[in-house]
Amino acid sequence: TQLLEQSPQFLSIQEGENLTVYCNSSSVFSSLQWYRQEPGEGPVLLVTVVTGGEVKKLKRLTFQFGDARKDSSLHITAAQPGDTGLYLCAGPSQGGSEKLVFGKGTKLTVNP
Amino acid sequence: NAGVMQNPRHLVRRRGQEARLRCSPMKGHSHVYWYRQLPEEGLKFMVYLQKENIIDESGMPKERFSAEFPKEGPSILRIQQVVRGDSAAYFCASSRSGGWGTTNEKLFFGSGTQLSVL
């Protein structure tokens, strides 16, 4: 069974600080996606990384896919209260299935 | 362009009752997925449907749960004889097509239905 382990589980920081959250697996993924979920809402897709070693930037967010395609990281620069939320990574299940496997997420709180 | 619409947002049922959760995908989307999220747990895949077809139901319990996506109308997730363990947030997602290995395909989630079983 493919598993995606996310760390840390909880992270509370002050506005303006930088942070990195991680998504790790013992399995190779053809791609990984990052989502942000706010309380009472569904996840919203932030980015998809496909190529090993790939780096994608979305304003203050930087996403990296590991060379071996087993891990990914999300770095946020100068965090703002609006970045508060649950960050989830997800990848396609093996065998060509259409289903996504999700990690349990990192719950980020950015205090003003 | 409306997003994925789920209703009701909140549903309260007593043990033994039936729960019906509805999902209207985004316009132009023919692929629908249902996921369940328990507190402190990740999203768990339940079922994947295309119009009038169940493609993958490997994540759905064999008993009491069923799903459909008719030619006309929303997708329905039906839970019969609910038990307390069914209490969770149920999310529907849609996409234009499958193919997670590309950067072009996107999955859009609805706001979910929070099911509470008393």
Side-chain angles (χ1 to χ4, degrees):
Chain A
T1 302
Q2 292 172 292
L3 289 175
L4 285 168
E5 302 284 346
Q6 291 192 247
S7 61
Q9 188 177 356
F10 299 96
L11 185 58
S12 181
I13 62 171
Q14 293 300 120
E15 183 176 1
E17 292 183 359
N18 301 332
L19 66 112
T20 303
V21 298
Y22 301 92
C23 173
N24 295 289
S25 177
S26 58
S27 305
V28 174
F29 282 87
S30 57
S31 64
L32 280 179
Q33 298 184 329
W34 284 91
Y35 292 81
R36 184 171 75 198
Q37 184 179 20
E38 298 187 17
E41 297 296 330
V44 176
L45 179 65
L46 297 174
V47 78
T48 302
V49 286
V50 179
T51 307
E54 181 177 9
V55 176
K56 280 192 173 179
K57 292 193 174 184
L58 187 67
K59 296 183 180 177
R60 293 177 293 101
L61 279 59
T62 302
F63 304 85
Q64 184 160 11
F65 199 11
D67 291 340
R69 291 186 286 127
K70 291 183 177 181
D71 57 270
S72 182
S73 64
L74 159 58
H75 180 80
I76 302 179
T77 303
Q80 299 176 1
D83 296 326
T84 294
L86 179 67
Y87 288 82
L88 298 163
C89 67
S93 182
Q94 286 177 335
S97 168
E98 292 294 328
K99 61 187 176 188
L100 286 177
V101 174
F102 279 83
K104 293 184 180 181
T106 291
K107 191 168 184 179
L108 172 66
T109 302
V110 182
N111 302 298
Chain B
N1 186 15
V4 178
M5 303 300 292
Q6 288 189 250
N7 64 82
R9 287 296 308 271
H10 298 91
L11 182 61
V12 179
R13 285 288 178 264
R14 296 190 180 279
R15 280 180 296 171
Q17 292 184 320
E18 178 180 287
R20 279 182 178 246
L21 287 62
R22 288 177 291 277
C23 168
S24 295
M26 284 183 68
K27 187 177 180 181
H29 286 193
S30 58
H31 297 238
V32 166
Y33 310 78
W34 285 92
Y35 285 81
R36 177 165 63 177
Q37 187 174 40
L38 290 164
E40 309 304 324
E41 293 287 332
L43 285 147
K44 302 293 185 186
F45 168 83
M46 298 183 73
V47 61
Y48 162 46
L49 311 102
Q50 294 180 28
K51 283 285 187 182
E52 299 185 277
N53 287 304
I54 297 174
I55 307 301
D56 182 351
E57 56 182 350
S58 60
M60 201 152 67
K62 295 284 188 287
E63 296 180 354
R64 303 188 297 109
F65 285 73
S66 63
E68 62 177 9
F69 189 16
K71 187 177 180 180
E72 300 290 337
S75 175
I76 305 288
L77 179 67
R78 182 183 178 203
I79 311 172
Q80 294 178 290
Q81 299 176 331
V82 296
V83 300
R84 289 219 173 110
D86 297 333
S87 296
Y90 290 83
F91 290 96
C92 169
S94 74
S95 66
R96 192 177 302 276
S97 64
W100 302 114
T102 73
T103 58
N104 295 322
E105 191 47 63
K106 294 183 179 180
L107 193 63
F108 294 85
F109 281 84
S111 297
T113 293
Q114 180 65 51
L115 173 65
S116 299
V117 180
L118 304 179

